[in-house]
Amino acid sequence: MAIKHLFIVFNAVASPALAQIGTASLTWQASLDGGETWSSNEIQTLTGTSIRVRALASWSPDAGYSFASSRFDAFVRGLFGAGSQDTVTEWSIPAPLLTVQTVVSARFGDTIKIDDARDSNPPGRGNYSLSPLQQFEQSGVPHTRANPVAVFQYTLNLDQSAGVREVSSAWFRPPVGAVVPIRLWRGPAGADLQNVPATTLVPLRINVVVPAPAPTIVVATGMACMLRRRR
């Protein structure tokens, strides 16, 4: 399964040097209720269920900036043999952010990698990445100043095996040039485009358990009721 997003191009804005400011993080969260509520703490769910997962970008100080772009690979790893039949579907980059790419998932041993379709390399390698982005703020163009802001989402479909799944990511490392995990816009016509190299990746652990069997006492009570009805 693959998704395609509309094309969007950054205008070439004259900027003698991109200053390096602040700190930022990419935090993974999960929702057990279809996206109504989210948690970045370790969560517990049942085998055979589907949960929504997202990456949340944030930065400090806010200083009036808005999200410009980021580049990373996303992973789901089953620990100690768990999740060998897990799948990932329904990828999306929430509006108004966009990207120029087709996104797919591929399995490498115990790890599912969600990445650009042109990258068939193992997790954390290759020449492509997930690339959510948005243009600078301008009239008539959708734009968000949200901080934090959701930059990527998908559905994790769990198999029937119990055990821990670790949701994580890695910043894209280009063959040439420096890693720039997150960039921010500020000012009219995007006059101020800032790099935020001091970034933190915050993974998420999902503890998957087998549903508990019905208590024996309940089964026994049910049988007693049936016997009384027959009499």
Side-chain angles (χ1 to χ4, degrees), residues 208-226:
V208 183
V209 299
V210 176
T216 305
I217 187 171
V218 174
V219 175
T221 302
M223 290 296 292
C225 290
M226 290 177 64

Side-chain angles (χ1 to χ4, degrees), residues 30-32 43 45 49-53 154-158 206:
S31 173
L32 299 176
I43 64 170
T45 190
T49 59
S50 296
I51 61 176
R52 197 68 178 158
V53 176
Y154 62 84
T155 297
L156 174 60
N157 307 297
L158 300 166
I206 302 172

Side-chain angles (χ1 to χ4, degrees), residues 10 12 15 20 45 49 59 78 80 89 91 101 106 109 117 124 126 145 153 160 169 174 183 185 190 203 209 223 230:
F10 284 129
S15 180
Q20 298 182 348
T45 190
T49 59
W59 53 94
F80 306 109
T89 56
W91 309 284
Q101 61 188 159
R145 293 185 181 180
Q153 295 186 12
Q160 296 300 322
S169 52
R183 284 184 168 181
W185 287 121
V209 299
M223 290 296 292
R230 288 179 181 177

Side-chain angles (χ1 to χ4, degrees), residues 120-138:
S120 59
N121 291 280
R125 302 178 185 177
N127 296 323
Y128 300 95
S129 66
L130 298 173
S131 304
L133 56 85
Q134 76 170 337
Q135 276 191 319
F136 52 79
E137 194 167 4
Q138 56 187 306

Side-chain angles (χ1 to χ4, degrees), residues 58-193:
S58 60
W59 53 94
S60 179
D62 184 277
Y65 283 90
S66 57
F67 179 85
S69 66
S70 183
R71 300 193 68 182
F72 56 90
D73 290 351
F75 318 126
V76 180
R77 184 165 69 98
L79 304 186
F80 306 109
S84 62
Q85 301 300 314
D86 290 352
T87 61
V88 170
T89 56
E90 300 177 305
W91 309 284
S92 66
I93 292 179
L97 308 188
L98 298 170
T99 190
V100 182
Q101 61 188 159
T102 298
V103 179
V104 298
S105 67
R107 180 170 286 278
F108 294 84
D110 62 0
T111 301
I112 300 173
K113 183 182 78 162
I114 307 106
D115 199 356
D116 189 286
R118 295 167 290 180
D119 193 340
S120 59
N121 291 280
R125 302 178 185 177
N127 296 323
Y128 300 95
S129 66
L130 298 173
S131 304
L133 56 85
Q134 76 170 337
Q135 276 191 319
F136 52 79
E137 194 167 4
Q138 56 187 306
S139 177
V141 177
H143 188 93
T144 179
R145 293 185 181 180
N147 178 19
V149 60
V151 297
F152 187 65
Q153 295 186 12
Y154 62 84
T155 297
L156 174 60
N157 307 297
L158 300 166
D159 66 14
Q160 296 300 322
S161 64
V164 174
R165 275 54 156 193
E166 185 178 69
V167 174
S168 61
S169 52
W171 299 122
F172 173 67
R173 297 185 177 278
V176 178
V179 177
V180 182
I182 292 178
R183 284 184 168 181
L184 305 173
W185 287 121
R186 187 176 68 175
D192 188 359
L193 175 61

